[in-house]
Amino acid sequence: LMVGVIPMMLSSTFMYFIRITGHPQLGLITTLIMAVVDVAGDYILAGPLKMGTYGLALATSASYWVPFVISVLYVIFGKCSLRLAKPTDVWRSMASVVNLGMPSALTSLCNVVKGIVFNLIAAALGVRVLSTIMVQGSVCNIVGCVTLGVGSAVMPLAGIFFGEQDE
C-alpha cells in the first residue's frame, strides 16, 4: 500500500540523522515499537475485523508512521544536535542528493522487477516454486541485514576519517 511509502522514506532519512548524532539506540527503540504496532494491527485488522491480507498490508503501512513521528519529535524537541535548515543552492544540493541516492534507487527498482518476475514464475509453475523463492528471499534478507548493518556503521566513520580533507 502507498500509505506507508512516504513515512517509510521520511523516517529512514531522519534515522540517518539520529544515528549521526550518536543515538543509534533510538532507531532500535522505534523499530521495536513499530513491530509491536504492526503485530497488534495485524491481529486486530486480520482477526476480529476480518480484513484479510488488506488488513495486514494496512497495519504494516500504518506502522511506518511510528518511527517517522518519533524521529520528527526527537529532531524538533529532543536533544538532537542537528537542525533542519534551508539549503542555499537547492539545485546543486538536489543534484548531489540524486547522485548519492541513485544506487539505492536502482537496487530498489531491480528488487521490484525481480519480485514481479518471481511472482510470474511462481504463478506459472506452482506452489513448490513459490516456497523455494520464499526461502531464497528469506536467506537474502538475513544476509542483507548483516551487510546493511555493517554498511550503516561504516559510512559515518568513513565520512569522518576519509572525507574531511583537513589541511
Side-chain angles (χ1 to χ4, degrees):
L1 287 174
M2 295 303 289
V3 175
V5 171
I6 292 172
M8 183 172 63
M9 290 186 314
L10 293 173
S11 66
S12 64
T13 301
F14 277 99
M15 281 298 146
Y16 283 120
F17 287 121
I18 291 170
R19 194 175 306 130
I20 290 170
T21 64
H23 294 93
Q25 67 276 15
L26 184 61
L28 173 65
I29 292 167
T30 57
T31 302
L32 292 174
I33 294 171
M34 181 182 81
V36 169
V37 168
D38 187 21
V39 169
D42 288 345
Y43 175 76
I44 293 167
L45 295 176
L49 296 180
K50 299 189 186 321
M51 293 177 72
T53 54
Y54 178 76
L56 296 174
L58 187 61
T60 300
S61 295
S63 71
Y64 282 116
W65 285 98
V66 172
F68 171 67
V69 169
I70 292 173
S71 300
V72 168
L73 292 174
Y74 175 75
V75 169
I76 293 173
F77 300 112
K79 297 177 180 175
C80 186
S81 60
L82 297 174
R83 297 288 177 238
L84 300 176
K86 183 178 179 181
T88 55
D89 188 2
V90 175
W91 294 111
R92 181 173 289 169
S93 298
M94 188 63 68
S96 175
V97 168
V98 168
N99 188 30
L100 289 172
M102 193 58 68
S104 295
L106 289 175
T107 300
S108 296
L109 179 64
C110 289
N111 283 334
V112 168
V113 171
K114 179 180 75 170
I116 291 169
V117 169
F118 280 172
N119 283 325
L120 292 173
I121 292 170
L125 298 178
V127 176
R128 282 194 143 153
V129 172
L130 182 61
S131 298
T132 304
I133 291 170
M134 295 306 295
V135 168
Q136 180 266 346
S138 296
V139 170
C140 286
N141 285 337
I142 290 169
V143 172
C145 289
V146 173
T147 57
L148 284 174
V150 170
S152 295
V154 169
M155 280 192 306
L157 294 174
I160 291 169
F161 294 117
F162 299 110
E164 285 184 341
Q165 299 178 0
D166 289 339
E167 296 185 24

